[in-house]
Amino acid sequence: QVQLQESGGGSVQSGGSLKLSCAASGDTRCMAWFRQAPGKEREGVAAIRTGDGGSYYADSVRGRFTISLDFAKRTLYLQMNSLKPEDTAMYYCAAAAGPGGVNGLAPLSRQKYNYWGQGTQVTVSS
């Protein structure tokens, strides 16, 4: 079992920045950030391979968001710059870990991940 605890959400004006954190209680293979706006599907925002740090981004956030991992602290980060109102959503940390986390699914695929955090709200006002 891996527990994930997000922090760092909040409210910010358009063009502002926020940094999300996610502390993991155990080893993981891949970690990611997803988001879900009201009435919309949960979508992958960014992912990172724990082993080599390879990262992946959704087109909508590439160049504005940066995912990173402090391996020693088992903490995942998402630096969000140039925020837009359309970035408003609940942001979730996800991890692929243990036998259930061994799969060949795409890094931004929701089905790849078998552990999820409770979410942290990000609100961007215009």
Side-chain angles (χ1 to χ4, degrees):
Q1 285 282 351
V2 175
Q3 294 182 335
L4 303 172
Q5 182 63 56
E6 303 101 332
S7 61
S11 297
V12 65
Q13 289 191 329
S14 182
S17 298
L18 283 173
K19 187 173 185 177
L20 306 183
S21 300
C22 172
S25 64
D27 293 335
T28 62
R29 301 178 186 275
C30 189
M31 298 187 74
W33 290 99
F34 285 72
R35 67 185 181 187
Q36 187 167 18
K40 294 189 176 181
E41 295 284 325
R42 190 173 298 190
E43 62 172 352
V45 173
I48 188 166
R49 290 196 303 264
T50 307
D52 62 9
S55 58
Y56 307 84
Y57 294 92
D59 289 343
S60 59
V61 306
R62 187 175 290 111
R64 299 188 298 122
F65 291 10
T66 302
I67 191 170
S68 60
L69 179 67
D70 185 323
F71 186 83
K73 294 182 179 179
R74 291 175 175 165
T75 300
L76 180 72
Y77 302 99
L78 185 68
Q79 177 67 47
M80 304 184 293
N81 298 329
S82 302
L83 282 162
K84 305 175 182 179
E86 51 263 45
D87 294 318
T88 295
M90 185 71 78
Y91 282 70
Y92 296 90
C93 176
V102 181
N103 59 69
L105 296 173
L108 296 181
S109 167
R110 181 176 177 178
Q111 290 72 28
K112 183 176 184 65
Y113 300 93
N114 52 340
Y115 293 100
W116 293 84
Q118 294 299 308
T120 185
Q121 179 67 37
V122 171
T123 302
V124 184
S125 58
S126 57

